[in-house]
Amino acid sequence: MPGHHGRPAGGPVSRNLLAIETSCDETAAAVVDDDLSVRSSVVASQIDLHAEFGGVVPELASRAHLETVTPVIERALREAGIAGGDLTAIAVTAGPGLVGALLVGIATAKALALGWGLPVVGVNHLEGHLASVYLADREVPFPQIALLVSGGHCMLTRCSGPGRYELLGETVDDSIGEAYDKVARYLGLGYPGGPVLDRLSAGAEDLLAFPRPMLADGYTFSFSGLKTAVVNHVRADPGFSETEVAASFVAACMDVLIAKLRRALEEFGDPALAIVGGVAASPVLRARAQVLADEFGTRLLIPPQAMATDNAAMIGVAGWHKLRREGADAATFGPEPDLRLRFAPA
Ligand code: KG4
Ligand code: ZN
């Protein structure tokens, strides 16, 4: 592979990959070395920019990525103590995501790769989330039951190795993060909904007994009815308690997730349970998943809380996996807003 190596002559050779993530509302860059340790990870959030609209505004996101991506990359390289020309490769999120936002990351990655003479690899954002478990734990057993719960996705997969997934089931309507965001917006609590609903509900009881959608339906999820139940409750009771609603909503979501995970562990008995995506930052989910994993004698794999939401370190790990498996991409690849996981039987 072209490029020089990262350490002075005589020292151990270090191979470093620069990863770039701009698929939604975080502009992120990271340097990850080839034993998958993170040398730097910088995330510039656009939350403040989108908060007043209650969700991500695509045009604003693209423009903010354009302004922020170069300083974020410079900072990631500086914190890693590495010059661009000493990198081994560049990885960038190719999809799924907002087309204009993805384009900023991809164009930047290609330009830098051309300038520095490096190979570039396009990474599936969902594979990035699934690879985020390596940010907590380098020893990752397979097969895994892997739950991906983010703003855009809610799917349960069975994973037999990096890049090898079988779909067990997914949501028929909203993702769970989307349900959190919509409920928070409806209650006037701002964007994103996850952290604020978590905070409100901490320690509060589930008094409202909202429905647990599709509990009996295999591995299929649905969250839009639960959101409607919240809206109906609030309309019927103008004196409603935010804390009660938040706690009861979170409890209903968690009961569904845990029930599906329990079913999968009972059916497959896999040695590891992975939980990834923005909702994996939820302290309740982290605690309940640990209890479940202990009950089954299964290892819980979960990214550090700060690496559950979008970041470039996870794209770096998935980038190394893809580079080793398939080599670099031709420089002609572009954004793929609807990119899915490629499923193969476990
Ligand atoms: O993975 P992510 O950063 O972006 C996507 O790929 O979609 O996930 C963002 C989602 C948002 O819907 C947000 O409300 C949710 O993750 N989220 C949380 C928490 N932090 C973020 N949900 C529950 N608890 C949290 N602490
Ligand atoms: Zn994400």
Side-chain angles (χ1 to χ4, degrees):
M1 241 175 273
H4 310 283
H5 292 174
R7 291 204 187 134
V13 172
S14 160
R15 289 155 49 83
N16 291 285
L17 178 147
L18 170 69
I20 302 169
E21 153 66 43
T22 63
S23 67
C24 189
D25 61 345
E26 331 276 353
T27 315
V31 176
V32 178
D33 77 16
D34 67 348
D35 71 4
L36 304 185
S37 61
V38 179
R39 298 185 55 164
S40 66
S41 174
V42 178
V43 181
S45 171
Q46 304 176 4
I47 283 174
D48 295 345
L49 183 66
H50 302 290
E52 65 171 301
F53 305 101
V56 178
V57 184
E59 288 79 3
L60 295 183
S62 311
R63 196 184 321 156
H65 284 307
L66 205 54
E67 286 166 1
T68 319
V69 72
T70 304
V72 163
I73 290 170
E74 282 169 351
R75 195 169 135 206
L77 292 173
R78 195 166 59 243
E79 286 181 9
I82 188 159
D86 290 333
L87 291 164
T88 301
I90 298 182
V92 61
T93 304
L98 303 168
V99 65
L102 291 164
L103 195 57
V104 174
I106 293 173
T108 306
K110 285 185 187 173
L112 294 175
L114 200 64
W116 291 329
L118 300 172
V120 57
V121 61
V123 171
N124 183 323
H125 183 82
L126 306 179
E127 288 196 13
H129 277 301
L130 289 164
S132 69
V133 298
Y134 286 87
L135 301 171
D137 208 333
R138 227 68 63 73
E139 291 298 308
V140 168
F142 292 97
Q144 302 163 4
I145 298 299
L147 175 70
L148 196 164
V149 274
S150 68
H153 293 85
C154 179
M155 55 169 73
L156 191 62
T157 68
R158 193 155 179 248
C159 189
S160 60
R164 302 193 49 191
Y165 324 97
E166 179 188 12
L167 181 66
L168 297 178
E170 61 189 329
T171 182
V172 293
D173 42 55
D174 290 350
S175 76
I176 177 164
E178 205 174 340
Y180 269 74
D181 294 341
K182 285 177 176 171
V183 164
R185 182 163 59 191
Y186 186 71
L187 297 176
L189 298 172
Y191 170 85
V196 63
L197 290 176
D198 277 344
R199 216 163 31 243
L200 265 178
S201 64
E205 260 180 280
D206 170 17
L207 297 172
L208 303 177
F210 289 134
R212 272 63 175 153
M214 299 201 127
L215 218 48
D217 293 68
Y219 300 113
T220 305
F221 300 85
S222 164
F223 291 101
S224 89
L226 176 56
K227 176 196 65 196
T228 307
V230 171
V231 170
N232 290 341
H233 171 84
V234 167
R235 284 205 183 124
D237 176 12
F240 75 94
S241 145
E242 270 178 4
T243 305
E244 250 176 41
V245 170
S248 303
F249 168 76
V250 169
C253 289
M254 293 303 140
D255 280 356
V256 171
L257 295 184
I258 296 295
K260 305 281 177 183
L261 293 175
R262 172 181 293 284
R263 175 170 297 145
L265 289 171
E266 277 167 358
E267 181 172 349
F268 300 104
D270 288 339
L273 168 65
I275 304 191
V276 301
V279 183
S282 155
V284 200
L285 180 54
R286 299 174 80 87
R288 288 190 61 178
Q290 188 62 64
V291 171
L292 184 72
D294 290 346
E295 181 189 328
F296 281 84
T298 287
R299 185 117 136 252
L300 176 66
L301 305 170
I302 195 161
Q305 195 176 27
M307 299 280 193
T309 46
D310 289 349
N311 64 82
M314 68 184 195
I315 302 301
V317 173
W320 272 121
H321 285 152
K322 187 175 167 192
L323 209 53
R324 286 174 191 153
R325 209 168 56 231
E326 299 168 31
D329 280 314
T332 47
F333 75 94
E336 294 184 73
D338 301 317
L339 189 60
R340 294 189 44 94
L341 287 174
R342 269 174 301 161
F343 294 114

